[in-house]
Amino acid sequence: MLKGKMTIELTDVNTGEKETIEEENMVTNALAEIFRPLGHLMNADSIYNNNNMYYQKFLGGLLLFDNPIEEDANQLFAPANTNLVGCAVYNTQNNTTGKMRGGYNQTESEFNAKQRYMKFVYDFSTSQANGTISCVALTHQQGGYTSYGSSDAVLQSQSMVITPFSSTLHYVYPSCTGASTGDQYSGYTLGTTELLFLLDTDNDMAYYFKIKSANTISIVRRRLYLKSVSIFENPYSQKALIDETELDQLSISLSTNYISFNFDTKNNYLYICSSANYYTAPNGTYQITRIRLRDYAISQWTMTNTANENINTNGMRFAFCYDGFIYLRGYNSPYETYKVEIGNSANITKIKRSGMSSNDCIPVFAIDGRIYYQYFSNSPHLYILNTETDEMLKTENYCIYAANNSPAYTPVLNHPLHMYCSYGSWSTGPFFIVANYLGTINNLSEPVTKTADKTMKITYTIQEQ
């Protein structure tokens, strides 16, 4: 059992007056999730060698938030009503111009193997982490790089994920499925391609959808082979068909020239957006089709572009639907981002950009009210859209899993830390864990405010009992 305690020391640089706050934390289920196999999928070499020592990797990042976070062991990510105030990384200094991340105090930090504790000590200068602090949390080492976004983040060569295990049982590459399977990387052929949108490892099945015609969609389920393997099948080269369900006739015909899709993990909906053209002019229309996972119930809307510019409807990630809204980008630079209520085109909001001149990224997934956007190229970068504040921020993390080649990321049902990476019919990818999880939650009895006339030292001790 892990137990943690934390001390914040604020020192006025003018008077020398010191304020000390001491709190104890709770440990979430994040570490248990990391070590919980996905079926029989767990690579011991990866989990033991690539991530040791665990205290350095799995709890080697520090996150400071402006609002309390519910002390629930299953609260694995910071919700959108909390904003990052500061952060820090084990054994790393902040030598950038970014003012959110502090530095690791190697002299005062201590690892004691005999008494089984690690004391992390982080220092913040007068210019760093200024603001109100209500909650402190430990995260993965890579999650300590302003992974919830800031306006002045300076790119670092750190991804946003870790890969604690590997697998050759891939679910998109046709040579590994024995079917015409695809994803957001590969595109699709009308009437043929099964597009992966969800993995259900607990029930050992992968979900795909197939647009059979402008008026017909089917849901296809195939075997994952993570729970059981038949001696009469080859799980590497064939993902056996479980069933294919043709849905009721669509009330609105799809414009099948251009489609985009994503799965909303908050409400368990598959969204398919469709358009006749690669951009939609003001007052032009596009369609949204929503399929509820539990019973395949269908809802559809014809939406009108109420932005004062053309919106991009090209590519298989031109839109992202989440919690009752669709997020779209303008077709031309600076690629403004718009939030539109699904079913009510008149309710439109332009997203505020903080720290970037344009949004040249595409949406890849959403977690707890934040949509992650990535630009894939030789100069990758990662933005985060907060759906509660309608603000887009940038991170020090330069990519999710991969920087180039635009991989697709598929959620894993009931495993909130996990995602699956794929590259259509070009290559294969792994399962991974999103690294900015909350390993601990430590709400302060009373919020404290750090100002530019104060330095701050945070000592966070985690002990095994």
Side-chain angles (χ1 to χ4, degrees):
M1 176 181 177
L2 289 176
K3 181 81 172 174
K5 61 181 181 180
M6 183 267 303
T7 301
I8 299 177
E9 298 172 84
L10 293 171
T11 303
D12 190 307
V13 295
N14 297 312
T15 66
E17 182 180 355
K18 181 180 293 187
E19 177 184 4
T20 302
I21 302 96
E22 295 183 349
E23 301 283 354
E24 293 188 354
N25 70 210
M26 66 158 291
V27 177
T28 72
N29 289 330
L31 296 182
E33 280 292 313
I34 291 172
F35 285 92
R36 180 161 67 108
L38 295 177
H40 59 67
L41 178 61
M42 177 61 76
N43 184 303
D45 287 342
S46 294
I47 198 73
Y48 289 136
N49 296 331
N50 296 347
N51 295 282
N52 247 331
M53 292 288 294
Y54 296 140
Y55 69 87
Q56 298 176 10
K57 297 290 186 178
F58 294 144
L59 297 175
L62 182 77
L63 300 171
L64 315 177
F65 296 101
D66 62 351
N67 288 319
I69 297 175
E70 182 182 4
E71 293 188 358
D72 180 348
N74 292 317
Q75 184 68 54
L76 301 183
F77 294 92
N81 64 354
T82 60
N83 301 290
L84 195 65
V85 177
C87 58
V89 178
Y90 174 84
N91 204 31
T92 303
Q93 301 305 311
N94 182 7
N95 298 316
T96 77
T97 57
K99 296 180 180 179
M100 186 165 283
R101 182 160 56 89
Y104 180 72
N105 186 324
Q106 188 171 13
T107 302
E108 297 184 40
S109 295
E110 177 188 1
F111 172 63
N112 189 313
K114 184 176 181 179
Q115 298 185 28
R116 308 183 77 79
Y117 71 81
M118 175 62 199
K119 181 172 71 174
F120 301 97
V121 182
Y122 298 103
D123 292 319
F124 296 83
S125 69
T126 55
S127 64
Q128 295 170 340
N130 288 327
T132 298
I133 302 170
S134 296
C135 182
V136 181
L138 295 181
T139 185
H140 190 276
Q141 188 174 20
Q142 289 168 223
Y145 287 95
T146 63
S147 58
Y148 284 89
S150 73
S151 61
D152 67 349
V154 179
L155 282 173
Q156 304 293 304
S157 58
Q158 301 291 330
S159 70
M160 182 71 84
V161 305
I162 57 174
T163 52
F165 35 65
S166 59
S167 172
T168 56
L169 294 178
H170 301 288
Y171 305 103
V172 177
Y173 194 63
S175 295
C176 295
T177 64
S180 178
T181 46
D183 57 17
Q184 294 156 323
Y185 174 90
S186 62
Y188 86 111
T189 300
L190 182 66
T192 301
T193 308
E194 303 170 15
L195 292 166
L196 180 71
F197 68 89
L198 181 68
L199 296 181
D200 182 356
T201 61
D202 294 340
N203 292 300
D204 208 29
M205 62 180 66
Y207 283 81
Y208 306 77
F209 73 93
K210 181 193 298 182
I211 300 178
K212 303 181 75 172
S213 70
N215 295 295
T216 309
I217 294 174
S218 64
I219 302 295
V220 180
R221 300 192 299 181
R222 294 188 174 275
R223 185 70 62 203
L224 278 181
Y225 296 107
L226 293 182
K227 289 283 189 175
S228 63
V229 178
S230 170
I231 62 172
F232 299 106
E233 297 173 349
N234 184 345
Y236 174 77
S237 61
Q238 183 179 9
K239 301 301 181 289
L241 178 69
I242 298 173
D243 55 41
E244 180 173 351
T245 304
E246 187 171 302
L247 308 187
D248 294 336
Q249 194 82 353
L250 301 180
S251 59
I252 299 173
S253 296
L254 302 179
S255 300
T256 58
N257 292 350
Y258 301 92
I259 70 163
S260 173
F261 70 94
N262 71 275
F263 187 77
D264 177 358
T265 56
K266 181 175 182 179
N267 300 292
N268 285 349
Y269 290 135
L270 167 66
Y271 284 97
I272 304 169
C273 303
S274 51
S275 174
N277 302 295
Y278 58 87
Y279 71 85
T280 300
N283 300 315
T285 61
Y286 57 94
Q287 301 87 37
I288 301 175
T289 299
R290 188 187 72 189
I291 301 171
R292 190 165 57 194
L293 184 67
R294 73 170 185 266
D295 57 6
Y296 299 160
I298 300 173
S299 300
Q300 288 189 286
W301 300 268
T302 296
M303 300 288 291
T304 300
N305 175 16
T306 51
N308 293 321
E309 64 169 314
N310 298 334
I311 57 171
N312 179 48
T313 47
N314 187 23
M316 298 197 75
R317 283 175 275 204
F318 69 72
F320 197 92
C321 296
Y322 182 75
D323 200 23
F325 291 86
I326 183 171
Y327 295 82
L328 299 147
R329 288 193 309 149
Y331 184 72
N332 296 307
S333 181
Y335 311 111
E336 300 286 3
T337 307
Y338 297 95
K339 172 184 179 181
V340 186
E341 183 181 4
I342 295 174
N344 181 13
S345 301
N347 184 4
I348 183 171
T349 301
K350 182 187 290 187
I351 300 299
K352 176 185 176 182
R353 297 192 309 273
S354 295
M356 71 285 292
S357 59
S358 68
N359 175 23
D360 52 1
C361 302
I362 56 176
V364 289
F365 58 73
I367 301 176
D368 279 13
R370 288 179 170 88
I371 303 175
Y372 292 70
Y373 283 72
Q374 183 172 339
Y375 181 69
F376 297 94
S377 75
N378 293 326
S379 301
H381 44 269
L382 179 62
Y383 298 155
I384 295 180
L385 192 160
N386 186 314
T387 63
E388 182 155 320
T389 62
D390 296 331
E391 181 179 19
M392 181 169 283
L393 299 166
K394 57 185 182 178
T395 74
E396 291 184 291
N397 306 87
Y398 78 117
C399 72
I400 302 294
Y401 168 75
N404 298 312
N405 300 317
S406 306
Y409 302 129
T410 302
V412 180
L413 190 65
N414 298 324
H415 289 262
L417 291 187
H418 293 82
M419 301 287 289
Y420 173 70
C421 173
S422 59
Y423 296 87
S425 59
W426 174 71
S427 183
T428 53
F431 287 88
F432 61 78
I433 288 173
V434 183
N436 61 341
Y437 55 77
L438 303 179
T440 66
I441 298 174
N442 196 324
N443 288 321
L444 307 188
S445 301
E446 295 290 338
V448 299
T449 300
K450 181 183 179 300
T451 53
D453 59 351
K454 296 176 182 178
T455 61
M456 179 170 63
K457 177 182 292 185
I458 295 181
T459 303
Y460 207 125
T461 303
I462 195 84
Q463 184 163 23
E464 191 173 71
Q465 297 180 335

